[in-house]
């Protein structure tokens, strides 16, 4: 009886092994996915917050980063006739180690869905801050059941400008030196005149530190308020008006009607909804065999914040959400052109809209945290100066002699 059980047991073990092997092999086999590439490579890109300064950057605004998404099947071949939905999020909020644009931390920078006949979606996007950006991508077939939908999360990490670390180190050394000098002076043997609570040099030093701290606090707050006030001048009724667009927001030309619509104003850190539609004015039917080119330009310094080109959906529309991270007027320009193989051929034309963007000052908590860091560095230098002074004169310490009148 025992001899009969052993073959059955070995057979069962073999069957379980075959099933597990097949399951593991299936789970490790290539799956449909989305590939992300950037141009230029992301490690060669500087955040907008520094790239245009002559001290930290090149002195001019570089073109936006090109983000290329490619949907491929399990064999690595491009998926045809797909629709790609992209959502781009900035790095999470971190008030303790904030960027120059804390308002846009932890926000949605872009939300767009476009047709991808070759399985590829390309957008050009200016990245405002350092850190890890998250891309949530959804790929669905234009033809029902052509392939299984894909849901994927991708990341890209934008490095900080290395010059910022250098200048921050210089600032830390200066603050430490100020504190060190103060501690050295306070720790010395000094005479107190009748009626004084501390020597004159100590009183002058402490008064100077208080004045510097107050000036720093005022500078941080006033500069932020002035920046907000300056950016708010672009809002209607708050000073300088938004320059009118040289092109209309809706236009009928060559048998087509195109209209740009959506939010008429925006606020830094909040997404604005925009949409362009193309139709046949005679039949009121949507037109889909055209190419739409979208460009968003900041008007004060004339740099491109966002660009995209693609075809409209089955309703002749292209809708997207984009976040504005600079409180200045922006121009939205959409050009329509015929596809190369389309029966409808015409001369490209454009519609446009200029919208104001309201600036937002950094939160007070962020400003106070930064000021606390700088104050802490000075205090560390002060304590270090006292310690060094006491080591040099261990018997005197901080004893202050009162002069005899």
């Amino acid at each position: 009886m025992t001899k009969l059980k052993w073959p059955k047991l070995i057979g069962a073990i073999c069957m379980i092994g075959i099933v597990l092997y097949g399951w593991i092999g299936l789970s490790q086999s290539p799956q449909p996915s989305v590939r992300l590439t950037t141009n230029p490579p992301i490690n060669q890109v500087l955040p907008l917050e520094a790239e245009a300064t002559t001290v930290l950057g090149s002195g001019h605004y570089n073109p936006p980063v090109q983000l290329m998404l490619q949907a491929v099947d399990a064999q690595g071949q491009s998926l045809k006739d797909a629709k790609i939905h992209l959502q781009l999020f900035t790095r999470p909020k971190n008030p303790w180690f904030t960027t120059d644009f804390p308002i846009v931390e932890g926000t949605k920078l872009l939300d767009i869905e476009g047709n991808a006949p070759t399985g590829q979606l390309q957008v050009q996007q200016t990245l405002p801050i350092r850190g890890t950006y998250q891309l949530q991508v959804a790929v669905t077939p234009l033809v029902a059941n052509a392939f299984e939908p894909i849901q994927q999360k991708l990341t890209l990490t934008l490095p900080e400008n290395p010059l910022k670390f250098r200048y921050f180190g210089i600032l830390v050394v200066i603050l430490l030196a100020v504190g060190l000098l103060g501690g050295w002076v306070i720790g010395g043997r000094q005479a107190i005149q009748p009626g004084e609570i501390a020597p004159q040099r100590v009183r002058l030093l402490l008064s100077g530190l208080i004045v510097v701290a107050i000036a720093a606090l005022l500078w941080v707050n006033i500069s932020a308020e002035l920046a907000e006030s300056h950016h708010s001048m672009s809002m209607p009724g708050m000073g300088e008006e938004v320059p009118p667009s040289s092109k209309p927001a809706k236009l009928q030309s060559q048998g087509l009607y195109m209209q740009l619509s959506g939010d008429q104003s925006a606020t830094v850190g909040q997404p604005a909804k925009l949409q362009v539609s193309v139709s046949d004015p005679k039949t009121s039917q949507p037109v889909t065999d055209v190419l739409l080119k979208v460009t968003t330009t900041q008007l004060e310094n004339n740099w491109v914040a966002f660009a995209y080109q693609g075809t409209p959906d089955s309703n002749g529309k292209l809708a997207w959400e984009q976040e504005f991270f600079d409180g200045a007027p922006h121009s939205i320009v959409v050009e329509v052109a015929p596809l190369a193989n389309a029966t409808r051929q015409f001369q490209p034309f454009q519609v446009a809209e200029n919208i104001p963007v309201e600036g937002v000052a950094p939160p007070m908590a962020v400003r106070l945290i930064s000021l606390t860091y700088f104050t802490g560095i000075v205090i560390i230098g002060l304590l270090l100066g006292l310690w060094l002074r006491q080591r040099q004169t261990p018997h005197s310490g901080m004893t202050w002699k009162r002069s005899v009148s």
Side-chain angles (χ1 to χ4, degrees):
M1 192 71 180
T2 306
K3 294 181 179 180
L4 295 176
K5 289 183 178 180
W6 276 109
K8 293 181 178 180
L9 180 61
I10 294 174
I13 293 174
C14 291
M15 288 297 298
I16 293 174
I18 293 172
V19 172
L20 289 176
Y21 179 80
W23 180 79
I24 294 174
L26 181 62
S27 63
Q28 293 181 347
S29 62
Q31 299 293 322
S33 61
V34 179
R35 298 171 181 172
L36 170 65
T37 56
T38 65
N39 185 26
I42 197 64
N43 59 1
Q44 299 178 10
V45 179
L46 292 179
L48 176 73
E49 61 191 18
E51 69 175 7
T53 62
T54 55
V55 177
L56 296 175
S58 59
H60 63 274
Y61 290 95
N62 295 321
V65 181
Q66 187 176 51
L67 307 177
M68 293 168 284
L69 299 171
Q70 182 69 56
V72 296
D73 58 19
Q75 287 72 42
Q77 300 298 318
S78 297
L79 293 174
K80 306 298 183 182
D81 297 326
K83 179 181 290 187
I84 299 180
H85 182 197
L86 168 65
Q87 297 181 81
L88 176 62
F89 298 87
T90 60
R91 52 159 273 182
K93 287 184 178 294
N94 187 345
W96 304 107
F97 299 99
T98 185
T99 63
D100 286 357
F101 295 156
I103 297 298
V104 304
E105 295 176 13
T107 59
K108 183 164 62 175
L109 194 61
L110 178 66
D111 189 335
I112 189 170
E113 183 177 62
N115 293 338
T118 62
Q120 187 177 83
L121 179 77
Q122 295 186 17
V123 299
Q124 296 181 55
Q125 177 66 55
T126 293
L127 303 177
I129 56 176
R130 69 177 186 273
T132 299
Y133 292 75
Q134 185 181 93
L135 297 87
Q136 295 185 4
V137 186
V139 183
T140 54
L142 290 174
V143 179
N145 301 322
F147 58 84
E148 288 294 325
I150 303 173
Q151 299 280 344
Q152 190 168 343
K153 291 183 180 180
L154 303 168
T155 60
L156 58 87
T157 301
L158 185 65
E160 182 58 281
N161 188 343
L163 286 177
K164 274 197 164 186
F165 296 111
R166 179 186 304 178
Y167 288 114
F168 177 74
I170 294 174
L171 177 60
V172 169
V173 169
I174 293 174
L175 294 176
L176 280 174
V178 171
L180 185 66
L181 177 62
W184 185 271
V185 172
I186 293 176
R189 181 183 299 176
Q190 303 172 37
I192 302 178
Q193 301 299 325
E196 296 179 340
I197 61 175
Q200 183 180 8
R201 282 189 295 173
V202 174
R203 288 186 284 111
L204 290 175
L205 178 62
L206 294 176
S207 300
L209 291 176
I210 293 173
V211 170
V212 170
I214 294 175
L217 182 60
L218 290 175
W219 179 80
V220 169
N221 286 276
I222 293 175
S223 60
E225 295 301 328
L226 288 177
E228 182 180 14
S229 210
H230 167 71
H231 293 323
S232 297
M233 288 179 63
S234 61
M235 296 296 294
M238 295 186 180
E240 181 184 356
E241 295 184 356
V242 180
S245 173
S246 59
K247 301 177 179 63
K250 51 186 177 180
L251 181 63
Q252 180 175 331
S253 175
Q254 306 172 72
L256 292 177
Y257 176 74
M258 182 165 63
Q259 180 178 7
L260 176 62
S261 58
D263 293 341
Q264 299 299 307
S265 62
T267 302
V268 169
Q270 300 179 12
K273 298 181 179 180
L274 299 163
Q275 175 181 280
V276 62
S277 59
V278 186
S279 61
D280 188 326
K282 295 182 179 179
T283 62
S284 298
Q285 294 298 311
V287 175
T288 60
D289 58 344
V290 293
L291 182 66
L292 300 174
K293 300 179 182 179
V294 181
T295 306
T296 300
T297 306
Q298 196 258 33
L299 293 177
E300 280 190 356
N301 305 107
N302 199 36
W303 50 267
V304 176
F306 166 73
Y308 168 78
Q309 68 176 30
T311 57
D313 60 17
S314 58
N315 297 317
K317 297 179 180 180
L318 173 66
W320 73 98
E321 294 182 19
Q322 67 176 104
E323 178 186 321
F324 298 91
F325 40 82
D326 188 35
H330 284 66
S331 172
I332 316 294
V333 178
V334 183
E335 179 181 279
V336 60
L339 293 175
N341 57 352
T343 56
R344 187 195 305 265
Q345 295 295 317
F346 56 91
Q347 290 297 319
F349 62 93
Q350 297 178 340
V351 293
E353 182 79 28
N354 290 354
I355 64 173
V357 179
E358 182 181 5
V360 179
M364 179 63 71
V366 171
R367 290 180 257 174
L368 292 178
I369 289 173
S370 300
L371 183 61
T372 301
Y373 287 156
F374 295 143
T375 305
I377 295 172
V378 175
I379 292 175
I380 291 174
L382 184 67
L383 296 176
L384 183 61
L386 288 172
W387 178 72
L388 292 175
R389 187 70 167 186
Q390 289 178 1
R391 287 196 61 185
Q392 184 185 30
T393 56
H395 299 294
S396 61
M398 292 183 61
T399 303
W400 295 337
K401 291 185 176 181
R402 185 177 297 277
S403 62
V404 180
S405 57

